[in-house]
């Protein structure tokens, strides 16, 4: 298995079905915090459900689609980043993230997202990377801004989460914008 160092003691790695127990323990530690805006904690009520969830992403990755990556800090899974949508033929993808409270404020998500964006543009030839976040998720929106993305607009009440309709902000960055920002 490969991993990419993000910072001292922090690594990014492919999160697979074989990590289900570790993933479930992580979700349990941060279930309410993570689940405020992200749906998968509600779909992972036990280890078997967590395994099935991760296995679905393995199938999608095998089809050159969505991908799921974990972030370990000092050997403990504390969050991750993902491509919930990955359209290589169309040249568009979306990235997202989650993190448990103990790991917040260390820049791990921003660093991990930079790895994914570099991969999307540099290795896969994507044209556009999107970021979707609930308007109330200020920390997520701050990451999009730190990544140099442009806020394009709001999809009003488009996402039903825990019985409440949420607005979603859409941000993006284009390949030429990313390249210009990386060279300046």
């Amino acid at each position: 298995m490969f991993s990419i160092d993000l910072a001292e003691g922090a690594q990014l790695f492919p999160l697979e079905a074989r990590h289900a127990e570790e993933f479930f323990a992580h979700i349990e530690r941060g279930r309410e915090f993570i689940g405020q805006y992200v749906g998968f904690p509600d779909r992972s009520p036990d280890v078997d459900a967590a395994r099935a969830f991760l296995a679905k992403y393995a199938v999608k990755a095998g089809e050159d689609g969505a991908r799921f990556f974990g972030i370990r800090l000092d050997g403990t899974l504390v969050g991750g980043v993902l491509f919930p949508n990955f359209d290589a033929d169309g040249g568009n993808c979306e990235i997202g993230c989650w993190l448990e409270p103990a790991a917040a404020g260390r820049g791990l998500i921003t660093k991990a997202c930079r790895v994914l964006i570099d991969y999307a543009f540099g290795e896969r030839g994507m044209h556009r990377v999107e970021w979707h976040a609930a308007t109330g998720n200020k920390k997520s929106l701050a990451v999009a801004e730190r990544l140099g993305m442009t806020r394009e607009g709001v999809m009003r009440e488009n996402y039903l989460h825990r019985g409440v309709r949420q607005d979603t902000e859409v941000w993006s960055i284009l390949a030429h914008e990313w390249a210009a920002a990386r060279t300046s």
Side-chain angles (χ1 to χ4, degrees):
M1 177 186 78
F2 77 87
S3 67
I4 297 169
D5 288 336
L6 298 174
E8 187 173 333
Q11 296 80 36
L12 178 68
F13 68 100
L15 194 51
E16 302 169 344
R18 64 192 177 96
H19 300 115
E21 290 182 12
E22 180 181 17
F23 179 67
F24 179 70
H26 156 62
I27 293 302
E28 284 292 280
R29 285 190 307 272
R31 184 172 296 281
E32 285 310 309
F33 181 79
I34 297 166
Q36 291 177 79
Y37 301 107
V38 177
F40 67 78
D42 296 344
R43 294 189 302 271
S44 301
D46 55 43
V47 173
D48 289 338
R51 184 174 291 107
F53 175 78
L54 293 174
K56 286 180 185 178
Y57 268 89
V59 170
K60 291 176 184 182
E63 296 169 345
D64 199 22
R67 292 160 173 78
F68 218 62
F69 302 91
I71 297 172
R72 284 192 183 113
L73 181 60
D74 299 325
T76 300
L77 180 64
V78 295
V81 292
L82 71 154
F83 288 113
N85 297 303
F86 194 89
D87 177 9
D89 292 337
N92 299 303
C93 65
E94 175 190 347
I95 60 174
C97 65
W98 77 96
L99 197 64
E100 65 183 68
R106 299 171 187 249
L108 298 175
I109 291 296
T110 302
K111 290 175 185 174
C113 286
R114 285 187 179 124
V115 170
L116 264 59
I117 295 171
D118 282 344
Y119 169 78
F121 290 141
E123 292 187 38
R124 297 308 306 275
M126 291 289 180
H127 175 72
R128 172 185 170 91
V129 174
E130 294 182 1
W131 187 275
H132 296 196
T135 56
N137 192 346
K138 300 304 182 195
K139 290 184 179 189
S140 181
L141 298 173
V143 173
E145 189 170 2
R146 278 194 299 278
L147 292 170
M149 293 185 163
T150 299
R151 182 179 184 263
E152 295 183 336
V154 176
M155 294 186 289
R156 298 179 312 138
E157 297 183 9
N158 73 308
Y159 181 63
L160 183 63
H161 181 64
R162 295 183 172 176
V164 176
R165 288 248 166 233
Q166 296 188 18
D167 295 347
T168 300
E169 290 196 22
V170 178
W171 293 63
S172 74
I173 191 162
L174 305 177
H176 66 89
E177 295 168 336
W178 185 253
R182 298 299 268 179
T183 58
S184 60

